[in-house]
């Protein structure tokens, strides 16, 4: 029923006779994977072969209202969501000039090098982009984006300025603003972005804990500050990205780095990056990628500075409750420690234009908990029309 309603909405959106030109494009990423051992699980895969974690099917419709005004809608069904189709893009674009435009509606956040084509697996050499960098909770926003592109000498460059609101199942991003810049010359390209937002996330279990420890404010006045720090409520967050690429066609190399900093929150900021390289031999593209992500638990443990590990009220039960609560918060903070990496070796074979077959093996390593180490095998096809 949900899919039928979406298709009817899509048909209604572009049914007006004022649309002189309608373009329909689609893509499919059918990706299956399995880990080598029964006790291994990574990126949603385990020892049972599955297509669900990364398979995506999508349809994009673009209608020209006039020479300057267009409307775009994209519906996507993901294996991770039981292939329930939903609108991920629905926006209108007005061309201000030959090299500038403004878009409004639900649009893709330009966070990464491959953000615009993130769901179109055919557009890059991997089966999916490195999770260490691209594994974020939000990729779309409801808002406005301004695009400008031009040339300067041998350089082609573009600027995007955006603002709006974004929400996922567990996270809400308010006052989301940012600016990105990219430039390319022959075989070299560079891209960067800086964005800020205020994150809010409802967590009933954490709220119960903070309420419980706040009851000790009469004994430890600074505990109220601790309670606020352990709730994600309009916490200011900064995001920075830098990407570099060299593509000589016969071979290529690229790297992308991101930094996320969340002020006064129960989540540690993180640094993530990857380096990838490959060669093209006709229809074959072998490639290798190293990725890494780390978060420092001290970013959250610092919230406990000045908070006593124990108290003496004269009541043993009260003192024991404080000690238990304190250690619980220490455990929450310590769980933010992250130091993981992965090496992926893969092969892409272009069967024909718009159709590619890929295979990859990933060796995943968790330096904090080696029980999470895993070896993942994946195969898939990417198709566009």
């Amino acid at each position: 029923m949900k899919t039928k309603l979406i298709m009817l909405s899509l048909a209604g959106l572009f049914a007006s006779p004022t649309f002189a030109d309608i373009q329909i494009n689609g893509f499919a990423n059918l990706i299956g994977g399995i880990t080598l051992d029964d006790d291994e699980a990574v990126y949603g895969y385990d020892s049972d072969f599955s297509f669900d974690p990364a398979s995506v099917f999508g349809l994009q419709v673009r209608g020209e209202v006039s020479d300057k005004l267009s409307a775009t809608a994209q519906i996507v069904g993901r294996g991770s969501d039981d292939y329930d189709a939903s609108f991920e893009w629905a926006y209108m674009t007005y061309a201000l000039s030959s090299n500038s435009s403004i878009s409004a509606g639900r649009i893709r956040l330009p966070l990464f090098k491959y953000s615009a084509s993130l769901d179109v697996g055919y557009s890059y050499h991997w089966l999916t982009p490195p999770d260490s960098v691209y594994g974020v909770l939000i990729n779309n926003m409801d808002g406005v984006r301004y695009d400008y592109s031009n040339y300067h000498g041998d350089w082609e460059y573009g600027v995007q300025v955006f603002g709006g609101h974004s929400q996922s199942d567990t996270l809400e991003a308010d006052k989301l603003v940012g600016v990105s810049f990219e430039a390319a010359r022959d075989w070299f390209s560079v891209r960067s972005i800086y964005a800020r937002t205020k994150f809010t996330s409802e967590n009933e279990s954490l709220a119960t804990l903070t309420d419980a420890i706040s009851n000790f404010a009469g004994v430890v006045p600074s505990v109220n500050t601790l309670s606020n720090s352990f709730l994600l409520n309009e916490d200011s967050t900064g995001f920075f990205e830098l990407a570099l690429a060299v593509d000589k066609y016969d071979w290529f190399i690229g790297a992308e780095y991101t930094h996320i900093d969340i002020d006064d929150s129960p989540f540690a900021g993180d640094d993530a990056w990857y380096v990838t390289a490959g060669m093209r031999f006709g229809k074959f593209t072998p490639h290798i990628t190293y990725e890494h992500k780390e978060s420092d638990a001290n970013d959250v443990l610092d919230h406990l500075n000045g908070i006593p590990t124990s108290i003496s009220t004269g009541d043993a039960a009260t003192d024991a409750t404080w000690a238990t609560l304190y250690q619980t918060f220490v455990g929450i903070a310590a769980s933010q420690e992250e130091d993981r990496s992965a090496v992926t070796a893969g092969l892409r074979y272009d069967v024909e234009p718009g159709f590619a077959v890929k295979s990859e093996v990933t060796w995943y390593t968790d330096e904090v908990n080696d029980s999470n180490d895993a070896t993942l095998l994946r195969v898939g096809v990417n198709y566009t029309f």
Side-chain angles (χ1 to χ4, degrees), residues 8 26 34 62 85 95 103 116 122 149 161 171 199 216 220-221 228 235-236 270 320 326 345 376 385:
L8 288 172
I34 186 173
R62 185 174 187 271
S103 301
Y122 183 80
S149 60
V161 181
L171 197 64
F199 274 141
F216 290 85
V220 184
N228 292 332
D235 291 338
S236 296
D270 66 59
Y326 181 89
L376 172 66
F385 66 86

Side-chain angles (χ1 to χ4, degrees), residues 243-257:
L244 302 170
V246 172
D247 193 333
K248 301 287 284 185
Y249 188 76
D250 290 336
W251 61 271
F252 61 88
I253 185 170
E256 194 165 6
Y257 165 81

Side-chain angles (χ1 to χ4, degrees), residues 8-9 55 61 72 92 108 113 136 144 158 170 185 205 213 248 251 255 260 273 276 285 291 297 311 325 330 343:
L8 288 172
S9 299
S55 293
V61 182
T72 302
M92 300 194 76
R108 175 58 51 88
K113 176 178 175 64
V136 297
V144 179
T170 59
R185 178 178 179 178
S205 297
I213 204 168
K248 301 287 284 185
W251 61 271
I260 300 175
W273 56 273
T276 187
T285 305
E291 59 182 283
I311 58 175
L325 287 171
V330 170
V343 176

Side-chain angles (χ1 to χ4, degrees), residues 218-345:
V219 180
V220 184
S222 58
V223 78
N224 286 327
T225 301
L226 173 68
S227 297
N228 292 332
S229 297
F230 271 82
L231 290 177
L232 192 61
N233 184 20
E234 294 190 351
D235 291 338
S236 296
T237 303
F239 177 86
F240 171 78
E241 180 257 13
L242 176 65
L244 302 170
V246 172
D247 193 333
K248 301 287 284 185
Y249 188 76
D250 290 336
W251 61 271
F252 61 88
I253 185 170
E256 194 165 6
Y257 165 81
T258 61
H259 174 74
I260 300 175
D261 183 24
I262 309 178
D263 298 336
D264 297 326
S265 84
F267 297 102
D270 66 59
D271 293 276
W273 56 273
Y274 71 80
V275 177
T276 187
M279 301 187 71
R280 298 186 179 97
F281 302 96
K283 294 185 175 183
F284 292 93
T285 305
H287 57 88
I288 190 167
T289 301
Y290 177 81
E291 59 182 283
H292 183 78
K293 182 177 183 178
E294 62 182 33
S295 300
D296 189 353
N298 287 323
D299 291 349
V300 184
L301 286 168
D302 286 346
H303 299 325
L304 294 165
N305 290 342
I307 305 295
T309 61
S310 61
I311 58 175
S312 298
T313 63
D315 182 83
T318 299
D319 296 347
T321 299
W322 170 269
T324 299
L325 287 171
Y326 181 89
Q327 290 304 318
T328 300
F329 279 93
V330 170
I332 293 171
S335 69
Q336 295 300 303
E337 188 74 23
E338 190 172 20
D339 186 357
R340 60 183 174 92
S341 60
V343 176
T344 298

Side-chain angles (χ1 to χ4, degrees), residues 139-159:
N139 275 306
N140 303 305
M141 75 168 186
D142 296 326
V144 179
R145 188 185 71 215
Y146 170 76
D147 293 81
Y148 178 83
S149 60
N150 212 329
Y151 293 88
H152 181 76
D154 294 330
W155 288 89
E156 179 183 2
Y157 66 93
V159 178

Side-chain angles (χ1 to χ4, degrees), residues 183-201:
R185 178 178 179 178
D186 296 330
W187 42 262
F188 175 75
S189 64
V190 59
R191 181 189 188 278
S192 187
I193 180 176
Y194 183 73
R196 291 201 66 84
T197 188
K198 289 185 177 294
F199 274 141
T200 298
S201 180

